[in-house]
Amino acid sequence: MTDSAQNSPPQTAPTATSLTETERKRTEQKKAVPNGVEHRSSVLTSYDPRTSELLGDYAMMGADEVTRTIREAKSAQKWWAGLGSSGRKRWLLDWKKAIAKRAADLVEVVVQETGKPHDDAWLEVMLAVEHLDWAAKNAGKVLDRHKVRSGLVAMNQASSVGYEPLGVVGVIGPWNYPVYTPMGSIAYALAAGNAVVFKPSELTPGTGTWLAETWRTLAPNQPVFQVVTGDADTGAALCRSRVDKVSFTGSAATARKVLAICAESLTPAVIEGGGKDAMIVGGDAKLDAAAEAAVFGGMGNAGQTCVGVERVYVVETVFDDFVALVETKARKLKPGADRGAAYGPMTREAQVEVVRDHVRDALDKGGTAVVGGLDSIREPYIQPIVLVDVPEDSIAVTEETFGPVLVINRVRDLSEAIARANATSFALGASVFTQDTRTGQWVAERLRAGVVTINSVLGFAGVAALPFGGVGDSGFGRIHGADGLREFSRVKSIARQKRRAPLHLLTMDRKARHLRVSKWVFKTRHTR
């Protein structure tokens, strides 16, 4: 591998005091370091979004380096596929153990590159390891060849279905959850027998490099899992490298660019393109629990969660009480760099302007800020912002905000809430709060979303067996669960004739009597 960190990250997180000391430095570096990344010829330099302190230099890998990496991966994949599901399981469980033993080191890298609190980084790493464990242990059961019934007409055939590796899978990961999100593709693609080339976000190259180096310590001569570091050009090179599939997580706009490049070589892709997730609160909901979930879903990770909560539709009979509870809980949250902070900075500097535009549009169109407002935006941090009665045509309602902003609107009933929740082009996740089990199921089944949680938010994230993905601008394809394993596999059906069919129709010497009997059987079976 050609990418390596030339400067080791600091071992301790900066304190709140150190932030004030580096404010002057941050101002000086903004022009030189757009979005927290500096490009110096062939070097990618990443920075701590809390302080602008340098974390490390990584290779800015071009098309030639990506091609060489893919070539190595193709060679290693043959060995990997030949191990079978049981052999790969042993390797992946060893990798899982290696990650778990050094989890504190990985957490520190994630904290430094994203700015999120240590507790949040720990949660991310633990969930990622759970998915790696599930994929390793269940791939054989899901993908190994198994018999299927041939049916009455083809009773002379022995039929089976199996799933084969695609080859080399290119994974392009995001910066908001640089371990958990890409692991949903990496673990499942590896368990299915593929080699993986991972291109982490240019904001989190150290996290991707750490994962790859951990694998390399186990299998130094088998580059089944490799990392290529760089910017958008590196990602484009990966898409053009004729990998066998691309898994991308990011904005819908970038997803379109990825698909356009993949179309050049008909490379299939699985896309997770972001969300504008809605929460619905019924009149019978436990309001304190719903408010707690709304604040967690909307403010956790500084609101930088694709399946977080951005819109809340509350039945008008409990609207005021719900808003009061959210307001109380949101006002207690304080972002910062210290270990006691509720959440960290905006990891991607440019996202601050997106949040500002959305809040301004909501207020200009008649919405009301009950917590915070435009003056809450003090980059790189954004204090909690809660907006109510925001018109549905505001970009704060229709477009992904990706910041610690909650929009809460009142509705007459659950039917209106469902209609509003389904009105955007995004359809990734959603949630509903009600004490009535049947009502919750009724709402969940009518929401246009890839995943719906009832009386919780993000509860599905720890259920490795549940497939995850979106609809519309939120993408297509699935990761996680059995569907996630099949997503990175090629199905092959085999039918073996055990004996000559009693009614032999698949011949040019077809007998009239056989066809007459077949017609009688057909009508007997299908017209009664």
Side-chain angles (χ1 to χ4, degrees):
M1 291 173 59
T2 58
D3 54 309
S4 62
Q6 299 173 0
N7 293 288
S8 299
Q11 295 303 307
T12 57
T15 64
T17 303
S18 68
L19 280 177
T20 59
E21 294 171 352
T22 60
E23 195 62 37
R24 179 181 58 80
K25 183 184 297 185
R26 172 182 294 281
T27 302
E28 293 173 352
Q29 290 177 335
K30 276 182 185 177
K31 292 183 179 180
V33 191
N35 297 331
V37 178
E38 182 181 358
H39 297 177
R40 299 200 307 266
S41 61
S42 60
V43 176
L44 172 70
T45 301
S46 66
Y47 294 83
D48 189 321
R50 300 167 297 183
T51 65
S52 290
E53 294 293 330
L54 183 148
L55 293 176
D57 287 344
Y58 301 85
M60 184 73 75
M61 301 179 74
D64 291 344
E65 292 166 299
V66 170
T67 299
R68 183 168 59 252
T69 303
I70 298 299
R71 189 185 309 121
E72 294 173 353
K74 287 182 177 179
S75 177
Q77 189 272 331
K78 295 177 182 178
W79 164 78
W80 184 243
L83 293 176
S85 58
S86 59
R88 293 192 295 271
K89 174 183 175 180
R90 290 192 292 270
W91 279 92
L92 291 174
L93 291 180
D94 283 346
W95 189 38
K96 177 201 74 169
K97 292 176 185 176
I99 294 173
K101 288 179 180 179
R102 296 181 54 200
D105 296 335
L106 178 56
V107 165
E108 195 63 39
V109 177
V110 172
V111 169
Q112 291 163 351
E113 289 198 316
T114 66
K116 66 177 63 179
H118 280 76
D119 288 355
D120 289 357
W122 265 108
L123 179 59
E124 176 180 352
V125 170
M126 289 189 292
L127 288 174
V129 168
E130 288 294 333
H131 278 275
L132 175 55
D133 181 76
W134 192 93
K137 291 178 178 177
N138 288 275
K141 179 172 61 178
V142 173
L143 302 178
D144 285 355
R145 183 160 294 281
H146 58 276
K147 295 179 180 179
V148 296
R149 296 189 62 174
S150 299
L152 178 64
V153 174
M155 59 187 303
N156 66 316
Q157 299 284 345
S159 304
S160 65
V161 174
Y163 296 85
E164 300 177 348
L166 296 172
V168 178
V169 173
V171 177
I172 301 176
W175 46 262
N176 58 330
Y177 290 96
V179 179
Y180 172 77
T181 299
M183 189 61 80
S185 296
I186 294 168
Y188 293 80
L190 287 172
N194 303 284
V196 172
V197 175
F198 173 39
K199 192 271 176 192
S201 165
E202 57 265 38
L203 300 182
T204 55
T207 302
T209 300
W210 191 98
L211 290 170
E213 289 178 345
T214 308
W215 171 263
R216 190 165 53 186
T217 61
L218 296 177
N221 300 317
Q222 296 294 350
V224 171
F225 174 54
Q226 300 179 80
V227 159
V228 291
T229 54
D231 58 7
D233 290 339
T234 307
L238 181 59
C239 293
R240 288 194 174 95
S241 65
R242 292 189 177 275
V243 291
D244 296 283
K245 193 162 194 174
V246 168
S247 179
F248 169 81
T249 302
S251 70
T254 304
R256 291 183 176 90
K257 296 177 182 178
V258 168
L259 288 174
I261 297 173
C262 289
E264 296 172 5
S265 56
L266 292 181
T267 299
V270 53
I271 299 292
E272 198 245 277
K276 189 67 181 177
D277 289 12
M279 172 192 284
I280 293 176
V281 181
D284 67 335
K286 293 183 178 179
L287 296 186
D288 192 70
E292 179 183 0
V295 172
F296 171 73
M299 308 297 175
N301 200 37
Q304 300 167 124
T305 304
C306 296
V307 282
V309 178
E310 296 209 0
R311 301 174 292 152
V312 186
Y313 294 108
V314 185
V315 172
E316 57 188 355
T317 56
V318 296
F319 180 84
D320 291 336
D321 291 341
F322 177 81
V323 171
L325 287 168
V326 169
E327 180 179 354
T328 299
K329 296 177 186 298
R331 289 189 184 279
K332 295 178 181 179
L333 304 181
K334 303 298 180 186
D338 59 288
R339 287 182 177 267
Y343 57 84
M346 301 301 289
T347 304
R348 180 174 179 266
E349 187 176 314
Q351 196 64 32
V352 174
E353 288 306 312
V354 175
V355 174
R356 182 177 282 115
D357 288 344
H358 284 206
V359 174
R360 181 182 295 113
D361 187 70
L363 297 176
D364 288 347
K365 290 184 175 176
T368 301
V370 296
V371 177
L374 287 171
D375 58 354
S376 301
I377 303 172
R378 304 162 188 164
E379 56 186 303
Y381 297 95
I382 299 179
Q383 300 282 342
I385 300 173
V386 179
L387 308 170
V388 300
D389 298 326
V390 178
E392 293 292 303
D393 62 350
S394 169
I395 57 175
V397 174
T398 61
E399 298 179 14
E400 187 174 39
T401 304
F402 225 56
V405 179
L406 270 178
V407 171
I408 308 177
N409 284 345
R410 70 186 78 222
V411 291
R412 292 185 306 275
D413 52 30
L414 293 177
S415 294
E416 183 183 1
I418 293 169
R420 291 197 183 189
N422 291 343
T424 74
S425 60
F426 295 98
L428 190 56
S431 56
V432 54
F433 280 76
T434 173
Q435 294 188 63
D436 187 288
T437 301
R438 290 185 178 180
T439 299
Q441 191 71 23
W442 180 84
V443 173
E445 291 175 356
R446 283 157 180 77
L447 285 168
R448 181 174 175 264
V451 58
V452 180
T453 57
I454 302 173
N455 293 329
S456 76
V457 297
L458 298 170
F460 69 91
V463 185
L466 282 176
F468 172 69
V471 181
D473 281 358
S474 291
F476 48 82
R478 293 295 181 266
I479 60 175
H480 302 170
D483 287 309
L485 289 167
R486 296 188 189 103
E487 188 74 51
F488 299 106
S489 305
R490 182 181 296 109
V491 63
K492 178 178 283 185
S493 301
I494 296 178
R496 176 177 59 83
Q497 182 168 295
K498 299 181 292 185
R499 57 186 176 274
R500 186 184 179 91
L503 298 176
H504 190 37
L505 302 181
L506 303 181
T507 174
M508 298 305 291
D509 297 324
R510 185 183 303 127
K511 291 182 170 47
R513 183 174 60 84
H514 286 186
L515 186 59
R516 285 197 304 273
V517 174
S518 296
K519 288 180 179 178
W520 178 83
V521 171
F522 168 77
K523 291 180 179 180
T524 300
R525 292 186 66 214
H526 299 299
T527 61
R528 288 184 177 180

